[in-house]
Amino acid sequence: MPKVGVKSLRKLQLIDATLASIGEHGLQSTTIITISRIAGLSSGIISHYFGGKQGLIEATIMHLLEQLKVVLLERVSPKKLNAAERLNMIIEANFTSFQRSTPTIKTWLSFWAESMHDPKLKRLQNINSKRLYSNLLFSYRQLLAEDVAIMASQKTAAMIDGLWLRCALSSSPEEEFIKAEQLCKSFVDEQIKQYGDITCH
Amino acid sequence: MPKVGVKSLRKLQLIDATLASIGEHGLQSTTIITISRIAGLSSGIISHYFGGKQGLIEATIMHLLEQLKVVLLERVSPKKLNAAERLNMIIEANFTSFQRSTPTIKTWLSFWAESMHDPKLKRLQNINSKRLYSNLLFSYRQLLAEDVAIMASQKTAAMIDGLWLRCALSSSPEEEFIKAEQLCKSFVDEQIKQYGDITCH
DNA sequence: AAAAATTAATTGAACGTTCAATCAATAAAA
DNA sequence: TTTTATTGATTGAACGTTCAATTAATTTTT
């Protein structure tokens, strides 16, 4: 058999090239030619490893979702954190430089649009959306009463997504993202101070 | 000469058909054939009235933005409203049944993705985004101190967009939208009660 | 008032382009 | 030698645009 370990290397290589192509041309204008040229490979290789263009696009999106998951675990797992600190880590994970990068922004926005008529992508989107909510709720529960924790989680999830979206679409995302992360953290602090008085154990 | 006043009728007819086609097939799979079939007209007419497919897409998006503007004016202009009531109207305008409809949701999401590589659409997106913020700030200023009003406007804009987005992407948008609108209104109330004490005139 | 002329609206077939998929051929590793 | 990796030319379908021809409303002429 030929080179071992090439398979996973090529797959990652093509996923990176897909992100780069979407970053440069957008998903609409991303073709198997633009991707394979960036990857330094031939166009035929895409069908070989991903069954077709759509398979590579889906794999790229799954890579994005996986990345978000991994970044959060990296920040939460190693240290002993209290609930408030963990909430901060959730926010930071959603505002890493990876999440702020043009390729990621463009891919994420295209993913939302595509998920509207692709059941497979819709499913992935829902899992991701509910994970953010669940992570928030897990921490808020330790600080607030149950019903208040639920509402705080809903509001914070919307605040994270809403701020990220408005920054992503703004004319100067770099500066906006920095301010948004601060605003989001202060919002969470307020939630805790405002509602987390006597009721918590 | 042929029928007069047909021009604006046809234009609206084609824009409606475009929304319907995007609602059914998504923007990616929307062609001049799917649009013209829904409109009951020939494919050539699109280039005649809009210069081409892209022109019709842009006109459809502008129609969406215009709609949002008109709905808000309808709710704010006729009555004498105080600042808190006006904030409620802003929220309602962003959660009308039109904004909740599948064609609008799909078009809006595609618009965000497209605006990333189309300067014309990017400009429209920025105007719309800033209008929401300005409208909120105008009302918050009458209830809160300047610096607090600014932050409240930023948070509320993100809350509206974030809640709308999460509802749009959810597996059961109908129910979610109803809850989201309530949550958003209660968030605004809290903002006013929490910060609007002595400092306001 | 009837006929002719004018003008815009509308059609749909033809054309050229783009693109994803395919596959026969080649290279390279085991 | 066998198996896998990789290439890239080719194919055929899909799509947007164009434009000559047709239709129909309106004005002008007689």
Side-chain angles (χ1 to χ4, degrees), chain B residues 57-68:
Chain B
I57 300 295
E58 285 167 8
T60 304
I61 288 168
M62 287 173 72
H63 182 254
L64 235 65
L65 296 165
E66 186 65 20
Q67 198 73 8
L68 185 56

Side-chain angles (χ1 to χ4, degrees), chain A residues 1-3 31-32 52-53:
Chain A
M1 285 202 283
K3 282 181 221 166
T31 69
I32 55 169
K53 187 197 177 189

